[in-house]
Amino acid sequence: MEFYDLVFPQNVGALTYRVPEHMRGALEPGMLVSAEIRKSVRRAVAMRPRREPPEGRLKEIVSLDSEGPVLRGPMLRTIEWMADYYFSNEGSVLKSILPREFFERVKARGSRHSVAEAPSAYSPGPLDGKSLEGAALVRESVAGRCYRTFLYHAPSTRDELAFALEAIRDAEGVVVLVPEHTGMRYVERAVRDVAGERLALFHGGLSGGARSQALERILSGEADVVLGSRSAVFAPLGRVSLIVVVHEDNPSYKSDSGVRYSARDMAVLRGFEESATVLLTSICPSVESWHNASAGKYTLIEGAPRGLRPSVRVMDSRRAGGAIGRKLREAAASRIAKEGRAMFVINRGGYSMLRCADCQNVLSCEGCGVSLVYHKKEGRLRCSYCGSGGAPPEVCPSSGGLLEPAGAGIERVLEEVEELGPAEAEGGGLGVLSDTGERLVVGTRRIARHEAGEGFALTALLNADSYRYVPDFRATERAFRELVYLADKTAPGGQLFVQTANPRAPLFSHIRRFDFAGFYRRELSVRRELGYPPFTRLVLVSSTGAPLAGNHDFKEVEVLGPVPALTKRGKRISKLLLKSSSRKALRLALRRLLKGRPSREITVDVDPIWV
């Protein structure tokens, strides 16, 4: 008799089934089959033959649903590896990495695909000599069919796209990842110009029918270039020669549901399994990727900056006298008067918080304990976690003192810049960056990441400390990255202003000189001393049930917490952070920690990016 382990896209490990007589010799690993699970017949992937079946009565496979393997050996090994690395099971991995349409096709409606109209301002420009030499190295690696990972440190996002296009030219079996499907239209046209009808879009923003159609084209070999967001790294191509991860530093590559995998890390793993080339690109590489390049695991390619970098001016926000300092206001007015454009970035919505002038207490949400945000246009306070709120009190509930604005949000900034001319807030600003050319744009940090719009004569980060003063070892890296992306929006020879309460912080010395090597060297030194990644491994455990217990004595594992926390929906949870340089020790600690706890209450996040 023959037996096979099947994996269903459900939260369960591989299950063993009997192979009926008429299927023997026809079933191969990676084929789609149907079998009964939980009293209903569902589709599964045949994972591997089983020589010795488990004890007990086994169910029989109902049908073969594909003529050959839909997942090849490298993908099957990737699923096995992920289940082990992320402390999960193969069923949960399968459910997290492949869409529902992979198992049950949906009829597509309308045209086969649409060509996105990307703004002409975002078209890639010519590459410098160093970058062209680097792209030739990547193409040579692709042609040699060997595993190798390259890290391209691009001078600008334009160069980043141009380098990716140069690398994929003439390549077959290509996956191109962008962080979010909302930015897909800014690169689709450029990739389609290179790949033509060989291109298939594959991301969460597509309808079920469009995804089904894309899968059919990929599985048939009609499309061998895939452009998508996070899950596209698992696109079931018959052969993979190159995987490109654009903006590899972006946190959106980390899954926030199901199995918490990193698409960037899985690109490197799949490249290894497929004997393929991996290309990571960024204008500000992650500390981990830079470390891997420094250690020789990746090959670093640095492009030569074109034109003048913007001048960087760091200002003391304690002397600003408002959301925008006087000198910054004057500089913006001067630039706008000369037909220039200005962008103000502030990482906070609403108008401000409200603080008592007597007791200095800031009004907080009774349920969540976080500061309430005052929305002046609505005349309401609102909690950014649970959404509750109401009209603000006339005086402080605690001391009876007068309430005054504390800090600033977009509404307050817009109020202060009215004298400079018409301004667009983030919602409108994102839509007009490259179309109407508003002279003044105000938004949160998303606007600095948006693919459209560049060439601002003046840009300003109004509250740099909102990135730095958070209890996260990556805070300084995030602050540096946001400033680099804002500089990318600034015209050559323009000005980048930074408002901070600590202008002497080393971070700002590095950004003034655009000293990337110095910044990474310092940041890695701090992390090594404190024992944080990339020198140790982290596992974040969250519980929605009973609070996690502390005071554990795990060998070779440091335990931080537990601490109470809130989800973005305002739900109370308990969090515990495990830190160790030994993966084996982490596994043993997790096994003891989670023993007897219902899996539905627990989330395990390996290599978390938010702690």
Side-chain angles (χ1 to χ4, degrees):
M1 299 184 71
E2 289 187 10
F3 305 91
Y4 245 87
D5 282 347
L6 307 185
V7 177
F8 294 84
Q10 300 182 26
N11 184 19
V12 64
L15 302 174
T16 306
Y17 286 74
R18 283 191 297 112
V19 180
E21 186 73 31
H22 67 278
M23 292 184 194
R24 291 175 190 174
L27 185 57
E28 299 178 52
M31 293 179 70
L32 274 181
V33 301
S34 289
E36 184 182 337
I37 181 174
R38 294 170 181 167
K39 298 183 179 181
S40 63
V41 176
R42 301 289 183 186
R43 280 200 169 150
V45 172
M47 199 71 181
R48 55 193 160 255
R50 183 79 175 261
R51 291 184 179 180
E52 297 182 5
E55 294 181 1
R57 186 178 178 182
L58 298 180
K59 296 177 182 178
E60 194 172 73
I61 296 174
V62 174
S63 64
L64 288 180
D65 298 338
S66 63
E67 294 182 1
V70 291
L71 296 181
R72 296 164 50 248
M75 271 297 296
L76 298 180
R77 293 193 295 272
T78 296
I79 291 170
E80 291 176 340
W81 187 93
M82 289 178 67
D84 177 70
Y85 185 82
Y86 289 109
F87 301 100
S88 186
N89 57 64
E90 292 170 333
S92 294
V93 170
L94 197 64
K95 182 179 179 180
S96 297
I97 69 174
L98 292 173
R100 182 174 51 189
E101 294 78 18
F102 182 83
F103 301 93
E104 301 293 337
R105 299 286 197 272
V106 177
K107 187 176 181 180
R109 298 179 181 179
S111 61
R112 293 182 57 185
H113 53 255
S114 59
V115 178
E117 291 298 325
S120 57
Y122 195 63
S123 58
L127 289 171
D128 62 89
K130 289 177 64 177
S131 295
L132 284 172
E133 290 176 5
L137 278 177
V138 175
R139 289 199 305 273
E140 181 181 325
S141 176
V142 173
R145 294 291 297 159
C146 59
Y147 164 70
R148 192 174 177 185
T149 296
F150 294 86
L151 175 63
Y152 175 56
H153 182 198
S156 69
T157 49
R158 279 186 177 232
D159 292 279
E160 200 177 349
L161 178 58
F163 191 94
L165 295 176
E166 190 67 23
I168 68 176
R169 200 176 304 278
D170 301 325
E172 298 178 353
V174 178
V175 177
V176 180
L177 302 184
V178 294
E180 298 164 333
H181 68 261
T182 52
M184 200 73 62
R185 71 188 185 98
Y186 293 97
V187 296
E188 180 190 347
R189 164 161 283 197
V191 175
R192 194 176 294 282
D193 284 345
V194 174
E197 293 301 310
R198 298 161 52 215
L199 177 65
L201 297 184
F202 194 66
H203 57 79
L206 299 174
S207 66
R211 269 195 303 273
S212 290
Q213 193 172 69
L215 280 166
E216 290 174 3
R217 297 182 64 227
I218 293 168
L219 289 169
S220 69
E222 179 186 346
D224 73 329
V225 178
V226 176
L227 171 64
S229 49
R230 189 168 55 219
S231 62
V233 71
F234 305 108
L237 286 165
R239 174 194 175 205
V240 177
S241 66
L242 174 65
I243 304 175
V244 182
V245 184
V246 180
H247 304 333
E248 65 87 26
D249 60 278
N250 196 297
S252 295
Y253 283 125
K254 176 73 171 177
S255 174
D256 57 2
S257 62
V259 177
R260 265 62 170 182
Y261 68 87
S262 163
R264 178 195 65 202
D265 295 348
M266 292 306 97
V268 175
L269 173 66
R270 189 173 186 190
F272 174 79
E273 292 287 356
E274 299 268 7
S275 296
T277 299
V278 180
L279 171 62
L280 312 178
T281 73
S282 176
I283 64 171
C284 187
S286 64
V287 168
E288 287 84 355
S289 293
W290 188 274
H291 173 70
N292 283 332
S294 301
K297 294 181 180 179
Y298 301 166
T299 300
L300 178 64
I301 300 171
E302 291 205 70
R306 64 179 71 195
L308 293 173
R309 295 276 199 183
S311 62
V312 180
R313 186 167 181 180
V314 181
M315 307 181 69
D316 195 331
S317 60
R318 294 169 295 183
R319 302 173 185 172
I324 307 171
R326 178 180 58 82
K327 292 183 179 179
L328 171 55
R329 191 193 309 266
E330 291 173 353
S334 174
R335 291 282 183 169
I336 292 172
K338 297 175 182 177
E339 300 300 308
R341 304 170 68 205
M343 176 194 290
F344 290 152
V345 175
I346 185 162
N347 193 31
R348 185 177 295 135
Y351 185 82
S352 68
M353 295 173 288
L354 293 181
R355 179 175 55 203
C356 175
D358 293 341
C359 68
Q360 298 298 303
N361 284 336
V362 176
L363 296 185
S364 301
C365 175
E366 293 183 3
C368 301
V370 299
S371 300
L372 292 166
V373 177
Y374 176 50
H375 294 262
K376 189 174 182 180
K377 290 183 178 180
E378 303 173 13
R380 293 176 60 84
L381 289 166
R382 185 181 302 135
C383 175
S384 57
Y385 274 87
C386 67
S388 65
E394 295 184 3
V395 295
C396 175
S398 301
S399 65
L402 294 176
L403 296 172
E404 58 185 11
I410 289 178
E411 290 181 14
R412 189 174 184 183
V413 174
L414 284 170
E415 187 175 276
E416 290 191 16
V417 301
E418 281 183 351
E419 64 187 62
L420 299 177
E424 286 286 346
E426 180 174 303
L430 289 177
V432 301
L433 282 178
S434 61
D435 299 328
T436 64
E438 288 292 340
R439 293 296 177 198
L440 183 58
V441 179
V442 179
T444 63
R445 63 183 177 184
R446 289 193 305 136
I447 205 167
R449 289 280 190 151
H450 200 265
E451 309 294 358
E454 56 183 11
F456 284 86
L458 180 147
T459 57
L461 181 60
L462 301 180
N463 59 342
D465 299 329
S466 68
Y467 299 89
R468 298 179 59 238
Y469 296 137
V470 293
D472 189 337
F473 71 93
R474 287 192 174 92
T476 303
E477 177 187 3
R478 290 196 177 100
F480 185 76
R481 180 178 299 129
E482 295 307 322
L483 289 169
V484 171
Y485 272 89
L486 198 53
D488 186 56
K489 295 293 184 188
T490 313
Q495 292 177 291
L496 168 59
F497 282 78
V498 186
Q499 290 190 164
T500 172
N502 185 13
R504 295 183 180 274
L507 161 70
F508 302 120
S509 174
H510 293 304
I511 196 64
R512 280 192 188 98
R513 294 178 284 120
F514 290 93
D515 178 17
F516 288 90
F519 170 77
Y520 290 118
R521 188 165 50 247
R522 182 183 183 87
E523 185 67 10
L524 285 166
S525 175
V526 170
R527 293 196 190 181
R528 186 191 297 273
E529 183 178 349
L530 297 178
Y532 278 108
F535 304 105
T536 57
R537 296 184 181 277
L538 298 181
V539 177
L540 181 65
V541 183
S542 304
S543 171
T544 57
L548 295 163
N551 302 319
H552 292 282
D553 185 19
F554 297 136
K555 186 178 180 180
E556 299 182 69
V557 177
E558 182 181 354
V559 180
L560 303 178
V563 296
L566 292 170
T567 66
K568 290 184 178 180
R569 296 182 178 179
K571 189 173 184 178
R572 294 186 179 277
I573 59 174
S574 173
K575 296 169 68 174
L576 195 70
L577 188 66
L578 306 180
K579 183 167 67 167
S580 177
S581 58
S582 168
R583 176 166 168 74
K584 181 179 179 181
L586 279 174
R587 175 175 292 281
L588 293 174
L590 265 178
R591 189 176 298 160
R592 286 175 53 190
L593 179 68
L594 303 181
K595 187 177 181 179
R597 280 186 168 269
S599 60
R600 65 180 179 276
E601 295 180 355
I602 298 295
T603 299
V604 176
D605 188 354
V606 180
D607 303 331
I609 59 170
W610 302 99
V611 297

